[in-house]
Amino acid sequence: MELRKINTQDAFAQWEYTTALPAEENGLTNPYNGVSYDEYVEKVLPELISYEHPVNMPEWFVPETYYYLWDDGHLVGEFRIRHYLTQALRTGAGHIGYSILKGVRGKGYGTEGLRLTVMIAKDIIPEDEIYLRVNKDNIASQKVMKKNGARLAGEDETHLFMRIAK
Ligand SMILES: CC(C)(COP(=O)(O)OP(=O)(O)OC[C@H]1O[C@@H](n2cnc3c(N)ncnc32)[C@H](O)[C@@H]1OP(=O)(O)O)[C@@H](O)C(=O)NCCC(=O)NCCS
């Protein structure tokens, strides 16, 4: 299993994943649900790649790198790392967002993918802890976080705020 940074060579597999990912699921948003392959290659992919070193983006935009989890030649999940916290991210979505392909959930990919993502994030983010947010009813994702050493740091009405020490 490996994490590969978003790239142009894997465009087709990345498009298949992106176009099938729901527009919203458990707080994870995807504005590109249903996008055509042509639009993905011409517009969406260059934009997502550029997020690592944003140009002409609003002041509030934090650099974000997309990674894909591959197992035996199959793309099975997506992991996004936001490079540092703003006040909005600190009390909101935190550093990392992820999803696993619907057909292969429950096989350990989420747990292993977050482990690999945290290893990369430790070298990127300046904060002492990796901030994560999860819906209170999202038991699978809470397990993924806990199995990666996350501790409960707080909650609001609908979310748990979890942190993984660097
Ligand atoms: C959350 C998600 C990434 C988990 O990925 P996954 O590959 O299924 O996770 P794992 O296989 O590593 O499973 C982790 C644990 O959750 C459990 N689990 C999986 N699906 C579950 C479900 N629907 N209900 C309860 N537990 C579940 C697994 O059994 C496992 O627990 P165990 O180790 O005690 O057996 C995946 O369900 C997903 O993409 N969900 C939609 C997007 C999302 O919620 N992203 C996270 C936002 S915080």
Side-chain angles (χ1 to χ4, degrees), residues 17 21-22 24-29 69 76-79 93 96-102 104-114 132-135 137-145 147-148 160:
Y17 191 88
L21 187 66
E24 198 281 333
E25 191 178 16
N26 298 332
L28 185 86
T29 56
L69 183 67
V76 296
E78 181 190 271
F79 292 76
I96 297 175
Y98 53 84
S99 61
I100 296 297
L101 192 66
K102 269 197 176 150
V104 297
R105 290 179 188 171
K107 295 174 187 283
Y109 287 128
T111 303
E112 178 62 8
L114 183 61
L132 302 161
R133 179 181 70 177
V134 60
N135 286 359
D137 62 2
N138 191 351
I139 304 302
S141 191
Q142 287 168 34
K143 284 190 174 176
V144 164
M145 291 175 182
K147 290 209 284 189
N148 277 284
L160 300 180

Side-chain angles (χ1 to χ4, degrees), residues 15 18-19 31-40 44:
W15 165 73
T18 303
T19 200
Y32 308 116
N33 172 263
V35 71
S36 71
Y37 182 60
D38 286 349
E39 197 186 342
Y40 180 79
V44 176

Side-chain angles (χ1 to χ4, degrees), residues 7-17 37 40-41 45 75:
N7 66 76
T8 51
Q9 290 92 320
D10 295 330
F12 191 79
Q14 292 166 178
W15 165 73
E16 279 188 312
Y17 191 88
Y37 182 60
Y40 180 79
V41 169
L45 179 56
L75 193 164

